[in-house]
Amino acid sequence: MLKKLKIFFKWIAYIFVVVIILFAVLVLAIRTPQAQKFLTNKAESWYLQNTGALLTVDKIYLNWNNKLVVEDLYLEDNQKDTLLYLGDLSTRISLLPLLNNSVVLTSVDLSQATVNLSQSGEEESFNFQFILDSLTS
C-alpha cells in the first residue's frame, strides 16, 4: 500500500512539473515577435469585424506573475477620433475563474492614458456606445 502511495505522489509531482514547464513555454512563446504579430493582428481584426472601428496594439503578452500587459493601444470611435490611447495597460488576472468562463481582474495599472468621451446631445448616446452594442449582439 505504501509503495502504491509513493507511486501516486510521484505521478502527481511529474504532472505538476509538466504543467509548470508548459506554462513557462507558453509565456516565453507569447513574447516572441511572431507570436506578438499574430496576437495583435487577431485582436485588431476581431475588433474591426465587430465594431467597424480601428484598433491598433503594439504588444500583448503575459508576465510570470499572471499579469496581462498591453502596450500602445489605440482605439478610435465611429467619427475616426481618438476614443482611447493607452501607453501601457497591465492587469492581474485570477486564473481559477477562467475555468468557469469568467474573467476576474484583481488589479489594473494604466500609464500614459488618454480617454475622449463625448455625448452629442442630451438624449444621444456616448461615443463608445457602438462598442457596447457590438459586444451584446
Side-chain angles (χ1 to χ4, degrees):
M1 181 69 176
L2 187 58
K3 187 174 184 172
K4 288 183 180 182
L5 196 58
K6 283 184 179 181
I7 292 172
F8 174 75
F9 282 118
K10 187 182 275 190
W11 275 102
I12 294 294
Y14 287 145
I15 291 171
F16 181 74
V17 168
V18 167
V19 167
I20 295 296
I21 289 171
L22 288 175
F23 181 73
V25 167
L26 177 67
V27 168
L28 291 174
I30 288 175
R31 298 197 67 144
T32 64
Q34 296 85 357
Q36 286 295 307
K37 186 81 170 150
F38 176 78
L39 287 173
T40 57
N41 285 344
K42 283 291 187 186
E44 291 168 359
S45 65
W46 178 87
Y47 186 78
L48 183 62
Q49 272 184 336
N50 287 299
T51 65
L54 179 67
L55 166 74
T56 61
V57 180
D58 186 39
K59 290 182 181 177
I60 302 173
Y61 59 90
L62 187 65
N63 273 349
W64 291 103
N65 53 358
N66 296 340
K67 277 196 172 185
L68 178 68
V69 179
V70 179
E71 293 179 0
D72 291 327
L73 180 134
Y74 170 78
L75 177 67
E76 67 181 30
D77 60 15
N78 286 336
Q79 286 73 40
K80 308 292 186 222
D81 192 15
T82 301
L83 179 61
L84 175 69
Y85 172 78
L86 299 174
D88 187 45
L89 167 68
S90 176
T91 61
R92 185 176 298 269
I93 301 171
S94 294
L95 295 178
L96 287 179
L98 291 175
L99 298 174
N100 296 326
N101 293 329
S102 106
V103 177
V104 175
L105 304 177
T106 56
S107 71
V108 177
D109 299 320
L110 296 172
S111 68
Q112 300 173 348
T114 301
V115 180
N116 294 317
L117 301 178
S118 64
Q119 187 177 20
S120 53
E122 193 153 316
E123 303 227 355
E124 294 290 319
S125 59
F126 283 95
N127 61 340
F128 61 87
Q129 186 63 42
F130 72 100
I131 298 171
L132 301 175
D133 293 342
S134 69
L135 293 176
T136 58
S137 62

